[in-house]
PDB file of all heavy atoms in Angstrom:
ATOM      1  N   LEU A 162    -121.073 -28.400   5.844  1.00 97.00           N
ATOM      2  CA  LEU A 162    -121.342 -26.942   6.023  1.00 97.00           C
ATOM      3  C   LEU A 162    -120.140 -26.137   5.566  1.00 97.00           C
ATOM      4  O   LEU A 162    -119.484 -25.359   6.313  1.00 97.00           O
ATOM      5  CB  LEU A 162    -121.679 -26.637   7.518  1.00 97.00           C
ATOM      6  CG  LEU A 162    -122.287 -25.283   7.824  1.00 97.00           C
ATOM      7  CD1 LEU A 162    -123.563 -25.062   7.029  1.00 97.00           C
ATOM      8  CD2 LEU A 162    -122.510 -25.141   9.306  1.00 97.00           C
ATOM      9  N   ASN A 163    -119.774 -26.384   4.330  1.00 97.00           N
ATOM     10  CA  ASN A 163    -118.608 -25.712   3.746  1.00 97.00           C
ATOM     11  C   ASN A 163    -118.947 -24.339   3.215  1.00 97.00           C
ATOM     12  O   ASN A 163    -120.085 -23.863   3.338  1.00 97.00           O
ATOM     13  CB  ASN A 163    -118.007 -26.600   2.614  1.00 97.00           C
ATOM     14  CG  ASN A 163    -119.098 -27.007   1.601  1.00 97.00           C
ATOM     15  OD1 ASN A 163    -120.010 -26.261   1.343  1.00 97.00           O
ATOM     16  ND2 ASN A 163    -118.938 -28.213   1.099  1.00 97.00           N
ATOM     17  N   GLU A 164    -117.987 -23.677   2.554  1.00 97.00           N
ATOM     18  CA  GLU A 164    -118.246 -22.276   2.117  1.00 97.00           C
ATOM     19  C   GLU A 164    -119.371 -22.235   1.114  1.00 97.00           C
ATOM     20  O   GLU A 164    -120.187 -21.296   1.182  1.00 97.00           O
ATOM     21  CB  GLU A 164    -116.940 -21.704   1.515  1.00 97.00           C
ATOM     22  CG  GLU A 164    -117.078 -20.240   1.129  1.00 97.00           C
ATOM     23  CD  GLU A 164    -115.756 -19.607   0.807  1.00 97.00           C
ATOM     24  OE1 GLU A 164    -114.763 -20.333   0.646  1.00 97.00           O
ATOM     25  OE2 GLU A 164    -115.722 -18.365   0.652  1.00 97.00           O
ATOM     26  N   GLU A 165    -119.453 -23.159   0.190  1.00 97.00           N
ATOM     27  CA  GLU A 165    -120.487 -23.132  -0.824  1.00 97.00           C
ATOM     28  C   GLU A 165    -121.895 -23.290  -0.170  1.00 97.00           C
ATOM     29  O   GLU A 165    -122.834 -22.526  -0.495  1.00 97.00           O
ATOM     30  CB  GLU A 165    -120.264 -24.290  -1.808  1.00 97.00           C
ATOM     31  CG  GLU A 165    -121.370 -24.385  -2.908  1.00 97.00           C
ATOM     32  CD  GLU A 165    -121.217 -25.596  -3.780  1.00 97.00           C
ATOM     33  OE1 GLU A 165    -120.186 -26.301  -3.659  1.00 97.00           O
ATOM     34  OE2 GLU A 165    -122.098 -25.789  -4.652  1.00 97.00           O
ATOM     35  N   ASN A 166    -121.963 -24.129   0.772  1.00 97.00           N
ATOM     36  CA  ASN A 166    -123.312 -24.377   1.435  1.00 97.00           C
ATOM     37  C   ASN A 166    -123.648 -23.226   2.393  1.00 97.00           C
ATOM     38  O   ASN A 166    -124.824 -22.892   2.550  1.00 97.00           O
ATOM     39  CB  ASN A 166    -123.328 -25.729   2.139  1.00 97.00           C
ATOM     40  CG  ASN A 166    -123.542 -26.846   1.168  1.00 97.00           C
ATOM     41  OD1 ASN A 166    -124.231 -26.697   0.122  1.00 97.00           O
ATOM     42  ND2 ASN A 166    -122.922 -27.984   1.423  1.00 97.00           N
ATOM     43  N   ILE A 167    -122.616 -22.652   3.000  1.00 98.00           N
ATOM     44  CA  ILE A 167    -122.878 -21.482   3.886  1.00 98.00           C
ATOM     45  C   ILE A 167    -123.424 -20.306   3.036  1.00 98.00           C
ATOM     46  O   ILE A 167    -124.374 -19.671   3.402  1.00 98.00           O
ATOM     47  CB  ILE A 167    -121.590 -21.071   4.620  1.00 98.00           C
ATOM     48  CG1 ILE A 167    -121.209 -22.127   5.649  1.00 98.00           C
ATOM     49  CG2 ILE A 167    -121.760 -19.676   5.264  1.00 98.00           C
ATOM     50  CD1 ILE A 167    -119.887 -21.851   6.299  1.00 98.00           C
ATOM     51  N   ASP A 168    -122.813 -20.076   1.915  1.00 97.00           N
ATOM     52  CA  ASP A 168    -123.279 -19.038   1.013  1.00 97.00           C
ATOM     53  C   ASP A 168    -124.746 -19.345   0.579  1.00 97.00           C
ATOM     54  O   ASP A 168    -125.577 -18.431   0.472  1.00 97.00           O
ATOM     55  CB  ASP A 168    -122.432 -18.930  -0.236  1.00 97.00           C
ATOM     56  CG  ASP A 168    -121.064 -18.293   0.026  1.00 97.00           C
ATOM     57  OD1 ASP A 168    -120.957 -17.634   1.112  1.00 97.00           O
ATOM     58  OD2 ASP A 168    -120.090 -18.552  -0.732  1.00 97.00           O
ATOM     59  N   LYS A 169    -125.035 -20.594   0.327  1.00 96.00           N
ATOM     60  CA  LYS A 169    -126.366 -21.063  -0.092  1.00 96.00           C
ATOM     61  C   LYS A 169    -127.418 -20.668   0.965  1.00 96.00           C
ATOM     62  O   LYS A 169    -128.452 -20.148   0.618  1.00 96.00           O
ATOM     63  CB  LYS A 169    -126.338 -22.542  -0.371  1.00 96.00           C
ATOM     64  CG  LYS A 169    -127.592 -23.081  -0.987  1.00 96.00           C
ATOM     65  CD  LYS A 169    -127.458 -24.623  -1.195  1.00 96.00           C
ATOM     66  CE  LYS A 169    -126.311 -24.955  -2.089  1.00 96.00           C
ATOM     67  NZ  LYS A 169    -126.180 -26.405  -2.332  1.00 96.00           N
ATOM     68  N   ILE A 170    -127.170 -20.939   2.192  1.00 97.00           N
ATOM     69  CA  ILE A 170    -128.146 -20.719   3.241  1.00 97.00           C
ATOM     70  C   ILE A 170    -128.290 -19.239   3.557  1.00 97.00           C
ATOM     71  O   ILE A 170    -129.373 -18.750   3.918  1.00 97.00           O
ATOM     72  CB  ILE A 170    -127.900 -21.537   4.523  1.00 97.00           C
ATOM     73  CG1 ILE A 170    -126.609 -21.161   5.181  1.00 97.00           C
ATOM     74  CG2 ILE A 170    -127.963 -23.015   4.211  1.00 97.00           C
ATOM     75  CD1 ILE A 170    -126.304 -21.860   6.476  1.00 97.00           C
ATOM     76  N   ILE A 171    -127.185 -18.494   3.436  1.00 97.00           N
ATOM     77  CA  ILE A 171    -127.266 -17.039   3.712  1.00 97.00           C
ATOM     78  C   ILE A 171    -127.988 -16.327   2.566  1.00 97.00           C
ATOM     79  O   ILE A 171    -128.859 -15.430   2.837  1.00 97.00           O
ATOM     80  CB  ILE A 171    -125.878 -16.439   3.928  1.00 97.00           C
ATOM     81  CG1 ILE A 171    -125.270 -16.975   5.269  1.00 97.00           C
ATOM     82  CG2 ILE A 171    -125.891 -14.921   3.916  1.00 97.00           C
ATOM     83  CD1 ILE A 171    -123.880 -16.511   5.536  1.00 97.00           C
ATOM     84  N   ILE A 172    -127.674 -16.661   1.350  1.00 96.00           N
ATOM     85  CA  ILE A 172    -128.330 -16.026   0.207  1.00 96.00           C
ATOM     86  C   ILE A 172    -129.801 -16.277   0.194  1.00 96.00           C
ATOM     87  O   ILE A 172    -130.595 -15.397  -0.142  1.00 96.00           O
ATOM     88  CB  ILE A 172    -127.718 -16.487  -1.133  1.00 96.00           C
ATOM     89  CG1 ILE A 172    -126.276 -15.960  -1.333  1.00 96.00           C
ATOM     90  CG2 ILE A 172    -128.561 -16.106  -2.326  1.00 96.00           C
ATOM     91  CD1 ILE A 172    -125.527 -16.591  -2.434  1.00 96.00           C
ATOM     92  N   ASN A 173    -130.218 -17.515   0.587  1.00 96.00           N
ATOM     93  CA  ASN A 173    -131.617 -17.859   0.622  1.00 96.00           C
ATOM     94  C   ASN A 173    -132.280 -17.594   1.934  1.00 96.00           C
ATOM     95  O   ASN A 173    -133.398 -18.024   2.232  1.00 96.00           O
ATOM     96  CB  ASN A 173    -131.771 -19.342   0.250  1.00 96.00           C
ATOM     97  CG  ASN A 173    -131.465 -19.611  -1.227  1.00 96.00           C
ATOM     98  OD1 ASN A 173    -132.192 -19.107  -2.082  1.00 96.00           O
ATOM     99  ND2 ASN A 173    -130.450 -20.390  -1.466  1.00 96.00           N
TER     100      ASN A 173
END
Side-chain angles (χ1 to χ4, degrees):
L162 194 57
N163 51 34
E164 185 168 11
E165 179 184 355
N166 284 326
I167 290 172
D168 289 340
K169 188 181 300 182
I170 62 176
I171 290 178
I172 290 171
N173 288 298

